[in-house]
Amino acid sequence: MKITIRAALTQEHEILTDITLSSKHVWNYPEEFYRIWERELTITPEYIDTNHIFVAENEEQEIVAYLSIVEVGEDVPCEQECMRHGYWIEHMFVKPEYIGNGIGKKLMNFAYVFCRDNKIPCLYVFSDPHAKGFYIKSGGKYLGESPSRIEGRTLPFIRLVPGLLV
């Protein structure tokens, strides 16, 4: 499948939010989780304008996935781990009907090239538990678990080193 990756446009925020929600629904989370996540899963024009957001398009120029890389200016305390100063993958979602076609791998390779070109030494991610294996397979190092905003749920904390193209 031919995929083109480019910077997201501000006006694509609703498309990206739809991809986020449809992809997250694959895991059959309870609806109350989505109420808790509403703000963080909604992509706004301002979010696109202030972060590094990249979309993956198919041959028909349909956006089928996206990736966001955000810079955290200083350590932000969390319960166990902190959001360390540096660059983070905040979102990476693929439309459900395109999962398993290598698009996530292409986005990771793109992220690694972006980091190399911008002298970013590593990326961090608090991964959805279902995506932990993907990030480890993509060269990530599992650093532990961090509590999520949902009681009793934790998120894998992973460091990705751009020199490890997958």
Side-chain angles (χ1 to χ4, degrees):
M1 173 181 293
K2 184 178 182 307
I3 294 294
T4 304
I5 300 174
R6 63 164 174 82
L9 304 174
T10 304
Q11 64 267 26
E12 294 170 330
H13 66 99
E14 290 178 354
I15 295 168
L16 302 186
T17 298
D18 290 344
I19 290 171
T20 303
L21 294 172
S22 66
S23 182
K24 202 78 161 159
H25 273 92
V26 165
W27 304 115
N28 295 315
Y29 286 120
E31 282 305 311
E32 61 265 19
F33 285 18
Y34 295 95
R35 286 189 287 282
I36 294 168
W37 293 331
E38 183 176 6
R39 207 177 67 149
E40 66 195 73
L41 296 182
T42 300
I43 306 303
T44 64
E46 297 77 26
Y47 183 81
I48 293 172
D49 288 343
T50 58
N51 295 291
H52 304 284
I53 318 299
F54 303 99
V55 298
E57 292 180 324
N58 64 13
E59 299 90 352
E60 290 81 36
Q61 296 183 320
E62 171 192 11
I63 297 173
V64 297
Y66 79 99
L67 161 76
S68 70
I69 299 174
V70 301
E71 182 179 11
V72 174
E74 56 186 54
D75 290 354
V76 177
C78 299
E79 289 186 34
Q80 288 180 347
E81 295 293 340
C82 71
M83 283 193 76
R84 299 175 181 179
H85 166 78
Y87 289 84
W88 289 75
I89 292 178
E90 190 162 61
H91 297 293
M92 183 158 67
F93 290 103
V94 177
K95 278 186 166 185
E97 61 269 30
Y98 289 91
I99 292 173
N101 287 305
I103 297 168
K105 181 178 179 178
K106 288 176 183 175
L107 281 169
M108 282 305 304
N109 281 335
F110 182 89
Y112 283 170
V113 169
F114 174 83
C115 289
R116 183 192 66 212
D117 292 350
N118 289 281
K119 297 183 179 16
I120 297 170
C122 69
L123 291 168
Y124 296 103
V125 63
F126 285 127
S127 168
D128 183 285
H130 296 288
K132 175 183 174 183
F134 167 80
Y135 286 111
I136 290 172
K137 185 178 176 183
S138 297
K141 179 175 179 180
Y142 173 72
L143 301 176
E145 295 288 319
S146 184
S148 86
R149 294 185 330 152
I150 296 170
E151 189 174 329
R153 183 173 187 264
T154 61
L155 300 175
F157 178 42
I158 297 170
R159 182 180 67 232
L160 298 147
V161 179
L164 303 173
L165 291 176
V166 294

